[in-house]
Amino acid sequence: MQFADFWYIVALSEQLQPNKVLSRTVLGEWLAIFRGEDGQPVALRDRCLHRNSRLSSGKICNGALQCPYHGWVYDAVGNVIAVPAEGDDFKTSPQRRAKCYATKEQDGYVYVRLADTPSVAPSLNLEPFSMPHYGKTGWETVRVINRFANNVTNCAENFIDIPHTAFVHPGVFRTSRQQKLEMTVERWNGSVLVEYRNENRNLGWYSRFLNLQGAEIKHSDRFYMPNITSVEYKMAHNRHLFITSQSVPETDNSTLVYTDVTYNYGIWNKLARPFVRWTAQHIICQDVEILGIQGEAIAKYGTQFYNTPADTIHIFVESIIAAISRGEDPRLLPNQSLKVTFWV
């Protein structure tokens, strides 16, 4: 198994308008993204075969992409179909073909897979992740995009880490109260599942709205290989939300994160939307700052970490990512389950 076997978001569907070209980077590969004549997403290596210009700076001509430098034109599978300097002498050639990548469109996202032929059997199903309750009746989704100056692993771990919230997001998300919490952390089939106990009101500004009675919250965190986290909070009736992030590795220290906050607040769904968006973006901006600081320290001193029991979730996530880095299938790692006590 390789990281290139997986599907990565490269755009919102709404961003990829006809006659528009987007420049993206995934796993260090430059991509030019556009819609072909049939309206389907196309992903080509962002390099013209002629003189190495960037195709993403070009323009769309009848569903084909024209290089901005000398006007070479590429179709939806990367074939060069026109060379202006050759005029009537132009002939197609199998050697004149840009690298083309598989694309899919799902849940309002455009995905790209870099592997020509995945190294795992198709039956093992490495399909794009299905976003929880997206577009379903009774649910609203707020979608935000942010870039982090850190790697995918540290971003994913941050999104499912409780202890940092009291210090990075004090008052907004949680406040340090030294409340005793319990969690069960399980690594299973290439995923990590965490179930929490003893949580109630410590949810920041909106605690009264989210959990007026102070009942115990049903809270779980999940990590799905290689880059997806999904946090679920279920409180009182019609107080149910998911925070799902897909972290796209641009380079070793740049990660573009697409986050969906999908919630069911009953009659408050529409009214709550601007507050949900503002709060989500405010919290993520705080995470962008702290992960940028961490990234600077890692660049200088490396990644030697000293873990506590509360970091068990990170240890399991890192074991999955490390397996893929070795070319192994993390689903073959032994299943593990641990109960942990920690304080927030």
Side-chain angles (χ1 to χ4, degrees), residues 212-246:
L212 180 62
Q213 304 302 321
E216 184 171 354
I217 296 167
K218 181 180 179 181
H219 171 199
S220 63
D221 291 348
R222 292 174 172 85
F223 170 84
Y224 302 97
M225 63 177 181
N227 64 331
I228 300 160
T229 59
S230 190
V231 176
E232 179 183 6
Y233 286 95
K234 191 171 185 178
M235 294 151 279
H237 178 65
N238 284 334
R239 296 294 186 272
H240 194 179
L241 76 153
F242 292 82
I243 307 168
T244 305
S245 296
Q246 299 204 43

mmCIF file of all heavy atoms in Angstrom, residues 212-246:
data_model
loop_
_atom_site.group_PDB
_atom_site.id
_atom_site.type_symbol
_atom_site.label_atom_id
_atom_site.label_comp_id
_atom_site.label_asym_id
_atom_site.label_seq_id
_atom_site.Cartn_x
_atom_site.Cartn_y
_atom_site.Cartn_z
ATOM 1 N N LEU A 212 -28.173 21.997 27.441
ATOM 2 C CA LEU A 212 -28.782 22.802 28.499
ATOM 3 C C LEU A 212 -28.929 22.033 29.803
ATOM 4 O O LEU A 212 -28.725 22.578 30.887
ATOM 5 C CB LEU A 212 -30.156 23.304 28.030
ATOM 6 C CG LEU A 212 -30.949 24.163 29.024
ATOM 7 C CD1 LEU A 212 -30.179 25.441 29.334
ATOM 8 C CD2 LEU A 212 -32.323 24.492 28.467
ATOM 9 N N GLN A 213 -29.259 20.750 29.727
ATOM 10 C CA GLN A 213 -29.502 19.966 30.934
ATOM 11 C C GLN A 213 -28.230 19.423 31.573
ATOM 12 O O GLN A 213 -28.270 18.861 32.668
ATOM 13 C CB GLN A 213 -30.442 18.800 30.608
ATOM 14 C CG GLN A 213 -31.760 19.212 29.975
ATOM 15 C CD GLN A 213 -32.550 20.165 30.831
ATOM 16 O OE1 GLN A 213 -32.585 20.015 32.057
ATOM 17 N NE2 GLN A 213 -33.191 21.146 30.207
ATOM 18 N N GLY A 214 -27.109 19.568 30.883
ATOM 19 C CA GLY A 214 -25.852 19.079 31.436
ATOM 20 C C GLY A 214 -25.739 17.571 31.475
ATOM 21 O O GLY A 214 -24.999 17.005 32.286
ATOM 22 N N ALA A 215 -26.471 16.903 30.578
ATOM 23 C CA ALA A 215 -26.411 15.442 30.531
ATOM 24 C C ALA A 215 -25.063 14.983 29.979
ATOM 25 O O ALA A 215 -24.346 15.749 29.316
ATOM 26 C CB ALA A 215 -27.538 14.918 29.643
ATOM 27 N N GLU A 216 -24.712 13.729 30.234
ATOM 28 C CA GLU A 216 -23.456 13.210 29.703
ATOM 29 C C GLU A 216 -23.513 13.176 28.179
ATOM 30 O O GLU A 216 -24.517 12.773 27.585
ATOM 31 C CB GLU A 216 -23.164 11.815 30.236
ATOM 32 C CG GLU A 216 -21.806 11.284 29.770
ATOM 33 C CD GLU A 216 -21.405 9.993 30.456
ATOM 34 O OE1 GLU A 216 -22.127 9.551 31.380
ATOM 35 O OE2 GLU A 216 -20.362 9.432 30.075
ATOM 36 N N ILE A 217 -22.432 13.614 27.571
ATOM 37 C CA ILE A 217 -22.362 13.730 26.119
ATOM 38 C C ILE A 217 -21.843 12.428 25.526
ATOM 39 O O ILE A 217 -20.910 11.819 26.058
ATOM 40 C CB ILE A 217 -21.425 14.892 25.728
ATOM 41 C CG1 ILE A 217 -21.992 16.217 26.228
ATOM 42 C CG2 ILE A 217 -21.201 14.934 24.221
ATOM 43 C CD1 ILE A 217 -20.998 17.353 26.166
ATOM 44 N N LYS A 218 -22.432 12.033 24.421
ATOM 45 C CA LYS A 218 -21.879 10.914 23.658
ATOM 46 C C LYS A 218 -20.889 11.497 22.652
ATOM 47 O O LYS A 218 -21.280 12.196 21.713
ATOM 48 C CB LYS A 218 -22.984 10.146 22.937
ATOM 49 C CG LYS A 218 -22.449 8.945 22.156
ATOM 50 C CD LYS A 218 -23.556 8.196 21.433
ATOM 51 C CE LYS A 218 -22.980 7.019 20.646
ATOM 52 N NZ LYS A 218 -24.032 6.279 19.902
ATOM 53 N N HIS A 219 -19.630 11.238 22.872
ATOM 54 C CA HIS A 219 -18.565 11.828 22.064
ATOM 55 C C HIS A 219 -17.623 10.728 21.593
ATOM 56 O O HIS A 219 -17.128 9.929 22.399
ATOM 57 C CB HIS A 219 -17.807 12.864 22.894
ATOM 58 C CG HIS A 219 -16.563 13.389 22.244
ATOM 59 N ND1 HIS A 219 -15.560 14.026 22.955
ATOM 60 C CD2 HIS A 219 -16.132 13.383 20.942
ATOM 61 C CE1 HIS A 219 -14.588 14.377 22.135
ATOM 62 N NE2 HIS A 219 -14.914 13.991 20.917
ATOM 63 N N SER A 220 -17.392 10.690 20.298
ATOM 64 C CA SER A 220 -16.429 9.739 19.746
ATOM 65 C C SER A 220 -15.573 10.426 18.694
ATOM 66 O O SER A 220 -16.021 11.359 18.023
ATOM 67 C CB SER A 220 -17.136 8.529 19.138
ATOM 68 O OG SER A 220 -17.951 8.921 18.046
ATOM 69 N N ASP A 221 -14.337 9.989 18.575
ATOM 70 C CA ASP A 221 -13.408 10.462 17.552
ATOM 71 C C ASP A 221 -12.983 9.268 16.711
ATOM 72 O O ASP A 221 -12.743 8.175 17.248
ATOM 73 C CB ASP A 221 -12.158 11.090 18.174
ATOM 74 C CG ASP A 221 -12.441 12.406 18.871
ATOM 75 O OD1 ASP A 221 -13.547 12.939 18.687
ATOM 76 O OD2 ASP A 221 -11.561 12.887 19.610
ATOM 77 N N ARG A 222 -12.838 9.496 15.413
ATOM 78 C CA ARG A 222 -12.403 8.427 14.517
ATOM 79 C C ARG A 222 -11.325 8.932 13.568
ATOM 80 O O ARG A 222 -11.381 10.075 13.110
ATOM 81 C CB ARG A 222 -13.591 7.886 13.715
ATOM 82 C CG ARG A 222 -14.622 7.146 14.537
ATOM 83 C CD ARG A 222 -15.839 6.761 13.712
ATOM 84 N NE ARG A 222 -16.753 5.898 14.450
ATOM 85 C CZ ARG A 222 -17.696 6.334 15.278
ATOM 86 N NH1 ARG A 222 -17.830 7.639 15.464
ATOM 87 N NH2 ARG A 222 -18.493 5.494 15.918
ATOM 88 N N PHE A 223 -10.379 8.067 13.291
ATOM 89 C CA PHE A 223 -9.355 8.328 12.278
ATOM 90 C C PHE A 223 -9.435 7.228 11.242
ATOM 91 O O PHE A 223 -9.463 6.035 11.580
ATOM 92 C CB PHE A 223 -7.953 8.342 12.898
ATOM 93 C CG PHE A 223 -6.850 8.360 11.873
ATOM 94 C CD1 PHE A 223 -6.418 9.549 11.299
ATOM 95 C CD2 PHE A 223 -6.244 7.167 11.461
ATOM 96 C CE1 PHE A 223 -5.417 9.558 10.349
ATOM 97 C CE2 PHE A 223 -5.239 7.168 10.507
ATOM 98 C CZ PHE A 223 -4.825 8.381 9.943
ATOM 99 N N TYR A 224 -9.481 7.625 9.971
ATOM 100 C CA TYR A 224 -9.513 6.678 8.864
ATOM 101 C C TYR A 224 -8.291 6.928 7.974
ATOM 102 O O TYR A 224 -8.030 8.078 7.596
ATOM 103 C CB TYR A 224 -10.785 6.852 8.038
ATOM 104 C CG TYR A 224 -12.062 6.684 8.823
ATOM 105 C CD1 TYR A 224 -12.745 7.789 9.324
ATOM 106 C CD2 TYR A 224 -12.589 5.418 9.069
ATOM 107 C CE1 TYR A 224 -13.920 7.636 10.042
ATOM 108 C CE2 TYR A 224 -13.774 5.258 9.786
ATOM 109 C CZ TYR A 224 -14.428 6.376 10.273
ATOM 110 O OH TYR A 224 -15.593 6.239 10.989
ATOM 111 N N MET A 225 -7.577 5.872 7.662
ATOM 112 C CA MET A 225 -6.372 6.047 6.861
ATOM 113 C C MET A 225 -6.701 6.647 5.489
ATOM 114 O O MET A 225 -7.769 6.388 4.933
ATOM 115 C CB MET A 225 -5.649 4.701 6.693
ATOM 116 C CG MET A 225 -6.446 3.653 5.950
ATOM 117 S SD MET A 225 -5.474 2.138 5.734
ATOM 118 C CE MET A 225 -6.652 1.149 4.815
ATOM 119 N N PRO A 226 -5.798 7.475 4.921
ATOM 120 C CA PRO A 226 -4.529 7.890 5.534
ATOM 121 C C PRO A 226 -4.599 9.267 6.187
ATOM 122 O O PRO A 226 -3.633 9.712 6.785
ATOM 123 C CB PRO A 226 -3.606 7.951 4.323
ATOM 124 C CG PRO A 226 -4.490 8.507 3.241
ATOM 125 C CD PRO A 226 -5.867 7.904 3.497
ATOM 126 N N ASN A 227 -5.790 9.970 6.112
ATOM 127 C CA ASN A 227 -5.771 11.397 6.423
ATOM 128 C C ASN A 227 -7.089 11.968 6.919
ATOM 129 O O ASN A 227 -7.271 13.178 6.925
ATOM 130 C CB ASN A 227 -5.380 12.187 5.162
ATOM 131 C CG ASN A 227 -6.420 12.049 4.049
ATOM 132 O OD1 ASN A 227 -7.098 11.035 3.959
ATOM 133 N ND2 ASN A 227 -6.535 13.058 3.217
ATOM 134 N N ILE A 228 -8.009 11.129 7.337
ATOM 135 C CA ILE A 228 -9.366 11.604 7.625
ATOM 136 C C ILE A 228 -9.676 11.460 9.109
ATOM 137 O O ILE A 228 -9.419 10.422 9.716
ATOM 138 C CB ILE A 228 -10.399 10.822 6.793
ATOM 139 C CG1 ILE A 228 -10.136 11.014 5.305
ATOM 140 C CG2 ILE A 228 -11.828 11.246 7.143
ATOM 141 C CD1 ILE A 228 -10.750 9.963 4.425
ATOM 142 N N THR A 229 -10.245 12.518 9.693
ATOM 143 C CA THR A 229 -10.722 12.467 11.073
ATOM 144 C C THR A 229 -12.190 12.862 11.098
ATOM 145 O O THR A 229 -12.624 13.728 10.338
ATOM 146 C CB THR A 229 -9.932 13.419 11.987
ATOM 147 O OG1 THR A 229 -10.052 14.762 11.491
ATOM 148 C CG2 THR A 229 -8.461 13.028 12.047
ATOM 149 N N SER A 230 -12.945 12.220 11.965
ATOM 150 C CA SER A 230 -14.353 12.565 12.125
ATOM 151 C C SER A 230 -14.702 12.538 13.608
ATOM 152 O O SER A 230 -14.544 11.506 14.277
ATOM 153 C CB SER A 230 -15.256 11.594 11.348
ATOM 154 O OG SER A 230 -16.591 12.065 11.313
ATOM 155 N N VAL A 231 -15.147 13.685 14.094
ATOM 156 C CA VAL A 231 -15.505 13.857 15.499
ATOM 157 C C VAL A 231 -17.024 13.938 15.590
ATOM 158 O O VAL A 231 -17.654 14.696 14.849
ATOM 159 C CB VAL A 231 -14.873 15.145 16.063
ATOM 160 C CG1 VAL A 231 -15.328 15.389 17.501
ATOM 161 C CG2 VAL A 231 -13.354 15.069 15.977
ATOM 162 N N GLU A 232 -17.613 13.168 16.478
ATOM 163 C CA GLU A 232 -19.070 13.161 16.625
ATOM 164 C C GLU A 232 -19.449 13.528 18.057
ATOM 165 O O GLU A 232 -18.918 12.967 19.012
ATOM 166 C CB GLU A 232 -19.639 11.784 16.285
ATOM 167 C CG GLU A 232 -21.166 11.711 16.445
ATOM 168 C CD GLU A 232 -21.742 10.336 16.177
ATOM 169 O OE1 GLU A 232 -20.941 9.389 15.978
ATOM 170 O OE2 GLU A 232 -22.974 10.200 16.182
ATOM 171 N N TYR A 233 -20.378 14.497 18.168
ATOM 172 C CA TYR A 233 -20.965 14.855 19.450
ATOM 173 C C TYR A 233 -22.481 14.653 19.361
ATOM 174 O O TYR A 233 -23.134 15.210 18.470
ATOM 175 C CB TYR A 233 -20.701 16.319 19.808
ATOM 176 C CG TYR A 233 -19.300 16.628 20.246
ATOM 177 C CD1 TYR A 233 -18.360 17.101 19.339
ATOM 178 C CD2 TYR A 233 -18.909 16.464 21.577
ATOM 179 C CE1 TYR A 233 -17.069 17.393 19.736
ATOM 180 C CE2 TYR A 233 -17.621 16.759 21.982
ATOM 181 C CZ TYR A 233 -16.705 17.226 21.058
ATOM 182 O OH TYR A 233 -15.427 17.514 21.450
ATOM 183 N N LYS A 234 -23.013 13.869 20.271
ATOM 184 C CA LYS A 234 -24.455 13.692 20.353
ATOM 185 C C LYS A 234 -24.878 14.045 21.767
ATOM 186 O O LYS A 234 -24.452 13.406 22.731
ATOM 187 C CB LYS A 234 -24.849 12.257 20.010
ATOM 188 C CG LYS A 234 -26.348 12.085 19.817
ATOM 189 C CD LYS A 234 -26.685 10.706 19.262
ATOM 190 C CE LYS A 234 -28.176 10.580 18.964
ATOM 191 N NZ LYS A 234 -28.517 9.258 18.389
ATOM 192 N N MET A 235 -25.708 15.105 21.862
ATOM 193 C CA MET A 235 -26.075 15.613 23.183
ATOM 194 C C MET A 235 -27.570 15.417 23.413
ATOM 195 O O MET A 235 -28.069 14.312 23.359
ATOM 196 C CB MET A 235 -25.640 17.074 23.295
ATOM 197 C CG MET A 235 -24.108 17.189 23.263
ATOM 198 S SD MET A 235 -23.475 18.721 22.599
ATOM 199 C CE MET A 235 -23.596 18.396 20.833
ATOM 200 N N ALA A 236 -28.315 16.497 23.606
ATOM 201 C CA ALA A 236 -29.756 16.381 23.796
ATOM 202 C C ALA A 236 -30.431 16.130 22.448
ATOM 203 O O ALA A 236 -29.783 16.014 21.412
ATOM 204 C CB ALA A 236 -30.280 17.664 24.440
ATOM 205 N N HIS A 237 -31.759 16.065 22.479
ATOM 206 C CA HIS A 237 -32.527 15.891 21.250
ATOM 207 C C HIS A 237 -32.224 17.034 20.294
ATOM 208 O O HIS A 237 -32.218 18.202 20.675
ATOM 209 C CB HIS A 237 -34.023 15.857 21.580
ATOM 210 C CG HIS A 237 -34.892 15.731 20.371
ATOM 211 N ND1 HIS A 237 -34.867 14.602 19.557
ATOM 212 C CD2 HIS A 237 -35.792 16.591 19.823
ATOM 213 C CE1 HIS A 237 -35.728 14.772 18.574
ATOM 214 N NE2 HIS A 237 -36.307 15.968 18.704
ATOM 215 N N ASN A 238 -31.964 16.715 19.032
ATOM 216 C CA ASN A 238 -31.629 17.706 18.008
ATOM 217 C C ASN A 238 -30.391 18.526 18.368
ATOM 218 O O ASN A 238 -30.318 19.730 18.103
ATOM 219 C CB ASN A 238 -32.811 18.644 17.734
ATOM 220 C CG ASN A 238 -33.890 17.971 16.890
ATOM 221 O OD1 ASN A 238 -33.602 17.043 16.134
ATOM 222 N ND2 ASN A 238 -35.120 18.429 17.034
ATOM 223 N N ARG A 239 -29.423 17.871 18.969
ATOM 224 C CA ARG A 239 -28.112 18.500 19.205
ATOM 225 C C ARG A 239 -27.061 17.458 18.830
ATOM 226 O O ARG A 239 -26.493 16.778 19.672
ATOM 227 C CB ARG A 239 -27.951 18.927 20.667
ATOM 228 C CG ARG A 239 -28.916 20.003 21.121
ATOM 229 C CD ARG A 239 -28.680 21.333 20.427
ATOM 230 N NE ARG A 239 -29.529 22.369 20.972
ATOM 231 C CZ ARG A 239 -30.764 22.647 20.555
ATOM 232 N NH1 ARG A 239 -31.297 21.933 19.567
ATOM 233 N NH2 ARG A 239 -31.458 23.614 21.106
ATOM 234 N N HIS A 240 -26.853 17.319 17.554
ATOM 235 C CA HIS A 240 -26.008 16.248 17.018
ATOM 236 C C HIS A 240 -25.123 16.849 15.934
ATOM 237 O O HIS A 240 -25.624 17.496 15.017
ATOM 238 C CB HIS A 240 -26.907 15.159 16.430
ATOM 239 C CG HIS A 240 -26.204 13.864 16.139
ATOM 240 N ND1 HIS A 240 -26.859 12.753 15.625
ATOM 241 C CD2 HIS A 240 -24.901 13.477 16.280
ATOM 242 C CE1 HIS A 240 -26.000 11.769 15.473
ATOM 243 N NE2 HIS A 240 -24.800 12.185 15.861
ATOM 244 N N LEU A 241 -23.807 16.679 16.039
ATOM 245 C CA LEU A 241 -22.938 17.229 15.003
ATOM 246 C C LEU A 241 -21.719 16.350 14.761
ATOM 247 O O LEU A 241 -21.286 15.601 15.636
ATOM 248 C CB LEU A 241 -22.489 18.650 15.346
ATOM 249 C CG LEU A 241 -21.402 18.858 16.408
ATOM 250 C CD1 LEU A 241 -20.652 20.155 16.136
ATOM 251 C CD2 LEU A 241 -22.009 18.902 17.802
ATOM 252 N N PHE A 242 -21.200 16.491 13.542
ATOM 253 C CA PHE A 242 -19.966 15.840 13.117
ATOM 254 C C PHE A 242 -19.011 16.923 12.630
ATOM 255 O O PHE A 242 -19.411 17.856 11.923
ATOM 256 C CB PHE A 242 -20.216 14.872 11.959
ATOM 257 C CG PHE A 242 -21.020 13.662 12.307
ATOM 258 C CD1 PHE A 242 -22.411 13.727 12.355
ATOM 259 C CD2 PHE A 242 -20.403 12.453 12.580
ATOM 260 C CE1 PHE A 242 -23.163 12.607 12.660
ATOM 261 C CE2 PHE A 242 -21.151 11.323 12.897
ATOM 262 C CZ PHE A 242 -22.536 11.403 12.936
ATOM 263 N N ILE A 243 -17.739 16.793 12.995
ATOM 264 C CA ILE A 243 -16.684 17.650 12.455
ATOM 265 C C ILE A 243 -15.716 16.720 11.735
ATOM 266 O O ILE A 243 -14.975 15.963 12.367
ATOM 267 C CB ILE A 243 -15.962 18.444 13.556
ATOM 268 C CG1 ILE A 243 -16.973 19.204 14.413
ATOM 269 C CG2 ILE A 243 -14.941 19.399 12.939
ATOM 270 C CD1 ILE A 243 -16.385 19.774 15.687
ATOM 271 N N THR A 244 -15.742 16.763 10.420
ATOM 272 C CA THR A 244 -14.969 15.822 9.612
ATOM 273 C C THR A 244 -13.955 16.575 8.776
ATOM 274 O O THR A 244 -14.312 17.513 8.056
ATOM 275 C CB THR A 244 -15.900 15.010 8.692
ATOM 276 O OG1 THR A 244 -16.913 14.382 9.486
ATOM 277 C CG2 THR A 244 -15.123 13.952 7.929
ATOM 278 N N SER A 245 -12.695 16.187 8.889
ATOM 279 C CA SER A 245 -11.615 16.865 8.172
ATOM 280 C C SER A 245 -10.844 15.889 7.306
ATOM 281 O O SER A 245 -10.514 14.780 7.755
ATOM 282 C CB SER A 245 -10.648 17.536 9.161
ATOM 283 O OG SER A 245 -11.296 18.562 9.890
ATOM 284 N N GLN A 246 -10.572 16.304 6.074
ATOM 285 C CA GLN A 246 -9.698 15.556 5.181
ATOM 286 C C GLN A 246 -8.444 16.400 4.959
ATOM 287 O O GLN A 246 -8.523 17.503 4.422
ATOM 288 C CB GLN A 246 -10.397 15.252 3.860
ATOM 289 C CG GLN A 246 -11.648 14.400 4.035
ATOM 290 C CD GLN A 246 -12.017 13.625 2.790
ATOM 291 O OE1 GLN A 246 -11.157 13.055 2.120
ATOM 292 N NE2 GLN A 246 -13.299 13.589 2.475
#
